[in-house]
Each structure stands twice: as structure tokens, then as C-alpha cells.
Amino acid sequence: MASDPGLGRLQLGLAGAGNVAVCMVVGYGLALLLHAGAQGTVVFMLLSSVVAMIGTNALVDHRIRANAITAAYFPLAMGAGITAGTLLAPSQPASLVGFVVVMFLAVWMRRFGLGYFFYGFMLWNGYFFASFLKTTLPALPAMLVAIIVATAVVLLLSCTVFRRHPRRTLAAVFRSMSARQRGLARACIALLEADPGSPGADRASLAIFRARARATEAALMSDGWAAHAPALPEGWTASTLRARLLELQLGLDRLTLGTRRLAATDAAPAIRAAAVEALGALATPNPARAREAAPALPELASAAPLSVQAAAADLHRGISIVTSVPNRPVLSRTVQENEPQFVPAAGLVLGQLPGIPSVASEVDPRGAAWNPLTRLQFATRQAVQVAVAGTLAILVGSLISGQRYYWAVIAAFVSFAGTGTRFDTTRKSLLRVAGTLGGLVAGVVVARLTNGNLFAALAVIVASIFCGNYLMRISYAYMIFFLTIMLSELYALLGQFSDELLLLRLDETAAGAAVGIAVALLVTPVSTRDTIKVVQGSVLAAVADLLGTLHDRALDPASVSANAVDERVIAADNQLRRLVLVGEPLTRYQIWENRPRAIRRRLTLVANIVATARSLSDAASRLRQPDVELAAEIGKVADLARTAAGATGDGAAPAAVPVLAGEPLDPSARAITQNLPTQAHAALDRLQALLREIT
């Protein structure tokens, strides 16, 4: 539940397996109806399966009209590819040139919107099938009929059996938030039980950072679904839901900060034990015991040093907030009115939060001084990369096998699907090779076990599609692993299965992946470190915007609504999510990356800036009277945030990060108080220190 917020992966896996199974049956029946013969039957089933797999990923909108509009162009896109491939197939040179042109167009058209991403895949697959099968003009009309029928079937299933319901999805996201909250509590326990400075403490600290980021991701996904009125809880508006989400975020901030503070102090064993007990109760599905155990923390720490008192107070407050926020409200079965002015912080893409391409598209590639291609739009640059990679893959793949070169072309083409930076493309290419290698071993075993058993082979194919779709968002290698098993079964059914053929596929795939990596590194490369710097500036700019709103509210509380503050806070959360998305892979050791600790320190520092700004907004948003002094201090820190957002550097981590990032600078601010201006000034002190550190 924690791994799959909204159960989107589960639904995608079930839809993929179901759509392919039904379309294969329909394709088989259509082939019998049209007397297509043995080869025609295989072609109809393969074409229907391809339409089903692409349609499964494209037709995930809960609105029937939107899915129908998207699906309406499937036959046109794939039909154009098949027609072009059929006309050029008699001439090998013309066919290869057309292959490169189609690859360019398939990527270039992504600039027009998400639907064109799938139309490009349809165009490319249609051309590939026509070239591979040497389709003739008399066979073309029947293939177009098969595509139209398969599209209609997938659309029908996507709008009925596999239709995504906003209300159920939001309920699943809420359950995911609860599960991720429990994971954060377990990570906090691990840090408190580890020896300070030990490798176990480092691992626990990293686990806390990742668990906290996952909770933010679930909150942003909930905010995205809140834009759809049918998903809202009974009696709630989208703004009400956002306010509850931000309140929960504030509680998790206090929980994290209190744990880190307490772990760095020489607190008495009784205090640590009480903290572990309260967090252990929070880690259970029934957190009511945590709310009962939390008040013991400030009482036990009443005679302890101020740093321990502050840590105990943070833990107490965090647990109180987390256990009081209804993060699993009762959902309504009735459609209610939504706020027309509500705009989610992160617009969902196919039911999920936007990925790395949405981040990398804002970053200028390297080589701008001498390469005019760097001034092209992101989709056009990728289209050029794909065209170059496709040309090289044809040349290299043909040297390995003149008949199976297309495996190298496929590997090069998909290297630029869903990727944005050169690191991302390199990692995806390597994962494809690793998944192919593992899938070959498993495919040989499975194909021999199912040899001669048609129904067992079909069951393996459908199961592989489910597992590949379900695990794709965890790791691309899993998808390729199961895709290779599926291909092994298809070759066995076609009577072409052999160990030599599968090894040839591995060679071609490795060659295509190598070409994709080389092109990503040399042709308009987008640096991951440049991307981190750009998005870090976006985070700090969002914090500066939030501080500007808080400044106006401190001058005149009536002039700025709570909803306006919440909008700025969750915008900063979304920018932080984007930073973690592009930087998190570098927090692990890579073959070409040996500074993961520096990246982790940078990401943690920026996350603390956002958390402290959220704490400040909580205090400032409860002001009922103007506070000119506080407004002046907020204005100064806002200027510092703007300076930090516009600062340029070499991309290295800060020279040092406070051991207790977020701790007040002034000892007088450490006092536990409920005075709002004092809380706000303490948060400003912390925020000012963190901004100076990042600058």
C-alpha cells in the first residue's frame, strides 16, 4: 500500500493483462472471420496486443470523453506508420531512411501534448511492423481493420472494467499516506536506537529523508486528485482537503525534527525509551496509543537540558498533530461542487505525479556556446537525439545481424522515452540490458517448461504483462525482465525459439543501449547536476514567494486568506518533490558517481528550508493583528531567499551543513512557548541560517 499510492500500479498491471488477453482473443476471432490464414492470425494477434499495451497506458483518465478523444486517433497514427512502412518496404535503403524519419517524428510530436507521446509510439510501432513483416498493399486494409477493432475493445474496457474511479483512488492514496506515515515512524525509531555517528545512524537518517519525501509525494497526489469533485470527502472542499494535508505535513516535520534533535543529544535512557514507545505506537495501524503516550515525553524532559526539552516538545507536538488529522476521512458517493478557482500544485499525468522529463525540459543542455541544437525545444532536441541514435543503431546492429538489427534500434529508441537527463538515459539503458540478461535466463527455463502447452504459454504471456506493468515504476529492469520472458514464449509459439536467437537479442540490445548512452552524453546532453541546480533555485524561489505572502499577511491579516498561504506552501512542497525526484538517484553510489553523501546533504538542507518555511507559515497564518516588526523580519529573509534562488555555483554540496539543521540560532529562541510571534521569530532565525548555508 505504501509503495503504490492510489493503487495505480496494481490497476495498470491488471488493465494491461486484461486488455492484452481480450484483444488477443478478439484478434484471433477476427482473423478467423476474415480467413487470414496462419500467418495472418499471428499478425492480427500481435497487432491487437500492441494496441492493447499502448492503450492501457494512454487511456487511464476517469473521464470517458477524454479517453474516447485520445483513442480516436490510435488507428490514424498506427495506420500512418503501417502505410508508410508498407510503401517503403520493397526498397531496403528507403525503408531504413524511413525508419529514422519515423523515429524523429515519433519523438518530435510529443511537443503537442501527452496524447502525442502515445501517438508517436503508435506511429513507430506501425512502421516497425510493416517493415519487419514485409506487409503488402493487399494485406493493408485487413490490418487497419484489426487496429480499429483492437482500439474499440481497449476503449470499452478502459471505460468500464478498468475505469479509474476518483473516489476510490483518493481513498487508496489516503491509505498509502497512513502506511508511509508508519514507515516514517519506524525509520525514526531506528535512528533513536542507533549509536550516534555509526553507519546504522547514517542509514536510518537516509531512511527518514526518503520516508519523509514519500509522504510528501502522497500528499501532493491527494492534492492533485482533489481537483476532481467526485473524489472529495463528504462535506469537504478541495481547499479544506489541502489544509488538512498541510497540517499533516507540519506534524510530520515536527516528528522528523524532534527525532533528529533527540538522537543528537545525551538524553536520559528513560526519555529515549518513551520516545521509542510513542513512535512504536504511531507505527501501528491504530495510532491512538501514540496520542496517549506522547504527553509523557515533555514531562520526563522537564528537568533535562533545553535541547532535550525542545526535542521532546517537537515529538509531542508532531504526534499530536499526526494523530488528530483525519487522513482517512469518510468519502462521499455523491458528486459535489468543487471550487472553480482551485488549481492543484502538481497536475497529475495519467493519474501520477509528473516525472523527470517535466523537470529536465526546463534546463538548458551543455554546449550552448557552439551547438545551435541546444536552442531547440526539449522535444525537438530529443527527436534529434533519437534520429542520430537510430541511425547509429541501424549501422551497428546490422554489423551484428543483418536480419535482427531492429532490436538495437528498439533499445536506442526507448532510451529516450520518459527520460530527461543524460544520467537518466544512461541508467535506463543499463537497466534494459540487465533486464534483458535476466529475462533471457528465465525465458529459456519457462519456454522449455511450457513447450507444447498453448494455454500455459498464453498464461505466462498474460502474467508477464501484468508483472511488467505493475513493477515498471519501481524499476525499468523489471519490466524488461518480464517483457523478455513474454518474447521467449512468443518465439516458442511461432516455432522460432532458440538459445542462439535470445543471445543475439542480448547482443543487439547491448549495442543499442550503448548507442543511446553515447548519444545522450554527446548530443545536446542535459546534465543532472545542472538540473539539480535549476530545480534547487525553483525551490528557493517558491520559498521566497511564500515569504512574500506571509509578509503581506503579517502587515494586514485580513488581506491574505489562509487558502492563499496554503497554495504557496504546497507549491514549495511540489518544487521540493521535483528536486528529490531528479537528485535522489545520485544519493546512491554509482559507477560514475562517488559523492552521494554530498548530494544527500544538499537535498536534506533544502528539505529543511521548506519544512522551516512551513513552520513559519503555520505561526504567521494564525496572526489576527498586524505585526509590523515581524513583517519586516520576514521581508529580510524573503530577500535572502531570492538571493539564494538566483545564486550560481559549481553544483557542489555546501561546505558544511548544521548537524541539527533547523535548530534555532539564538538560545533564547529555544524556549518552549505558545506565543505566536516568538514561534515565528524562532522559525525565521532557523530559516535565515539555512538560507545562508545553502548560499
Side-chain angles (χ1 to χ4, degrees):
M1 184 61 66
S3 174
D4 187 12
L7 297 180
R9 289 205 326 269
L10 178 62
Q11 187 163 7
L12 185 66
L14 293 173
N19 285 334
V20 170
V22 174
C23 283
M24 287 178 69
V25 173
V26 171
Y28 179 78
L30 183 62
L32 293 180
L33 184 63
L34 298 178
H35 305 288
Q39 183 178 358
T41 301
V42 173
V43 171
F44 277 30
M45 293 178 68
L46 288 177
L47 275 177
S48 300
S49 298
V50 170
V51 173
M53 286 189 286
I54 298 177
T56 296
N57 290 276
L59 306 180
V60 297
D61 200 301
H62 67 279
R63 296 166 296 184
I64 297 177
R65 177 181 173 83
N67 283 337
I69 293 174
T70 301
Y73 296 95
F74 282 1
L76 180 62
M78 198 164 190
I82 287 182
T83 302
T86 301
L87 294 175
L88 296 176
S91 173
Q92 181 74 358
S95 179
L96 294 178
V97 172
F99 214 154
V100 174
V101 173
V102 166
M103 291 175 69
F104 175 88
L105 292 175
V107 177
W108 176 79
M109 64 173 58
R110 295 174 186 171
R111 63 189 295 172
F112 299 112
L114 180 63
Y116 288 87
F117 180 90
F118 298 104
Y119 301 150
F121 263 106
M122 288 282 187
L123 174 69
W124 185 86
N125 275 281
Y127 189 92
F128 168 75
F129 264 94
S131 301
F132 171 64
L133 298 173
K134 305 297 182 183
T135 305
T136 61
L137 286 175
L140 190 58
M143 297 177 69
L144 295 177
V145 170
I147 294 171
I148 294 172
V149 171
T151 299
V153 171
V154 174
L155 176 62
L156 177 63
L157 293 174
S158 299
C159 295
T160 53
V161 179
F162 302 119
R163 183 185 179 190
R164 183 168 295 183
H165 295 272
R167 177 174 51 82
R168 297 175 188 172
T169 302
L170 185 58
V173 175
F174 284 146
R175 292 194 294 272
S176 175
M177 290 176 63
S178 298
R180 292 185 173 192
Q181 171 186 303
R182 295 194 293 272
L184 176 60
R186 289 192 292 271
C188 290
I189 292 174
L191 181 60
L192 291 176
E193 293 180 340
D195 295 330
S198 66
D202 289 341
R203 289 192 297 269
S205 180
L206 181 59
I208 288 176
F209 173 80
R210 288 175 174 163
R212 183 68 189 86
R214 283 155 60 87
T216 298
E217 180 185 69
L220 286 166
M221 187 174 290
S222 298
D223 185 73
W225 279 105
H228 305 289
L232 292 172
E234 185 175 3
W236 289 27
T237 64
S239 295
T240 302
L241 177 61
R242 173 179 285 177
R244 295 297 182 269
L245 292 173
L246 293 178
E247 188 178 357
L248 178 62
Q249 289 278 77
L250 181 66
L252 296 179
D253 286 341
R254 294 292 95 191
L255 196 71
T256 303
L257 178 60
T259 299
R260 292 188 183 278
R261 281 179 166 176
L262 190 61
T265 62
D266 295 327
I271 299 176
R272 284 180 175 263
V276 170
E277 179 183 357
L279 289 169
L282 189 63
T284 63
N286 183 12
R289 291 191 300 110
R291 189 173 181 85
E292 298 172 358
L297 286 170
E299 296 175 5
L300 289 172
S302 58
L306 287 178
S307 59
V308 178
Q309 292 184 43
D314 281 330
L315 276 172
H316 177 208
R317 185 184 178 198
I319 292 175
S320 298
I321 293 175
V322 168
T323 54
S324 63
V325 175
N327 57 359
R328 292 182 63 181
V330 177
L331 299 180
S332 172
R333 290 182 176 274
T334 60
V335 177
Q336 56 193 60
E337 292 296 326
N338 203 346
E339 301 162 293
Q341 71 275 16
F342 181 84
V343 177
L348 300 181
V349 178
L350 303 176
Q352 301 292 321
L353 295 171
I356 288 180
S358 66
V359 183
S361 61
E362 304 171 1
V363 182
D364 295 329
R366 295 284 179 95
W370 57 269
N371 189 350
L373 295 176
T374 59
R375 292 187 285 273
L376 299 175
Q377 290 187 4
F378 178 72
T380 306
R381 292 201 311 266
Q382 276 205 325
V384 173
Q385 288 178 314
V386 165
V388 173
T391 302
L392 295 176
I394 290 174
L395 296 175
V396 176
S398 297
L399 294 177
I400 299 174
S401 172
Q403 298 297 323
R404 306 289 183 179
Y405 67 89
Y406 51 81
W407 280 326
V409 179
I410 292 172
F413 177 76
V414 299
S415 296
F416 298 94
T419 60
T421 66
R422 58 189 181 187
F423 173 86
D424 200 28
T425 302
T426 300
R427 183 178 61 163
K428 184 173 184 178
S429 298
L430 294 177
L431 289 176
R432 185 174 184 87
V433 175
T436 301
L437 178 60
L440 289 179
V441 176
V444 170
V445 174
V446 173
R448 289 177 176 172
L449 290 176
T450 60
N451 186 30
N453 191 329
L454 175 62
F455 293 103
L458 292 177
V460 169
I461 291 174
V462 174
S464 296
I465 292 172
F466 167 80
C467 294
N469 281 339
Y470 180 70
L471 299 174
M472 176 174 58
R473 289 177 182 149
I474 295 180
S475 175
Y476 183 66
Y478 291 139
M479 177 190 173
I480 298 303
F481 173 82
F482 287 105
L483 179 63
T484 305
I485 294 176
M486 182 190 74
L487 290 176
S488 300
E489 290 292 344
L490 285 175
Y491 286 128
L493 291 177
L494 295 173
Q496 299 181 10
F497 178 82
S498 68
D499 296 348
E500 292 77 12
L501 181 64
L502 295 181
L503 290 176
L504 178 60
R505 180 174 186 270
L506 178 62
D507 292 340
E508 294 281 3
T509 298
V515 168
I517 292 173
V519 172
L521 295 176
L522 299 176
V523 181
T524 64
V526 176
S527 167
T528 302
R529 294 189 180 279
D530 290 349
T531 306
I532 290 175
K533 288 168 60 178
V534 170
V535 184
Q536 176 182 299
S538 299
V539 178
L540 298 176
V543 170
D545 290 342
L546 170 61
L547 293 175
T549 302
L550 295 179
H551 170 269
D552 295 341
R553 184 173 176 84
L555 286 178
D556 183 6
S559 65
V560 179
S561 66
N563 290 345
V565 176
D566 290 347
E567 182 180 345
R568 296 295 189 186
V569 174
I570 204 161
D573 277 340
N574 182 50
Q575 293 297 337
L576 176 61
R577 177 197 69 85
R578 298 169 79 238
L579 176 63
V580 173
L581 178 68
V582 72
E584 202 275 339
L586 295 183
T587 62
R588 302 179 177 89
Y589 281 99
Q590 310 287 344
I591 297 176
W592 55 90
E593 172 56 59
N594 58 2
R595 295 192 300 167
R597 291 174 63 88
I599 298 296
R600 291 202 296 264
R601 283 172 21 182
R602 174 175 291 277
L603 296 181
T604 301
L605 182 55
V606 178
N608 285 336
I609 290 174
V610 175
T612 307
R614 184 185 297 109
S615 178
L616 173 64
S617 68
D618 175 64
S621 62
R622 286 184 285 159
L623 289 172
R624 295 294 176 265
Q625 299 296 328
D627 191 325
V628 178
E629 180 183 354
L630 178 60
E633 293 299 319
I634 294 176
K636 292 178 182 178
V637 179
D639 291 338
L640 181 59
R642 295 187 187 96
T643 301
T648 58
D650 59 3
V657 175
V659 175
L660 296 178
E663 185 177 3
L665 287 178
D666 187 353
S668 64
R670 301 173 191 262
I672 302 171
T673 175
Q674 295 300 318
N675 184 267
L676 287 181
T678 302
Q679 289 183 12
H681 283 293
L684 280 170
D685 287 339
R686 296 195 296 270
L687 188 56
Q688 182 173 328
L690 293 169
L691 288 170
R692 286 175 176 169
E693 201 67 49
I694 199 69
T695 304

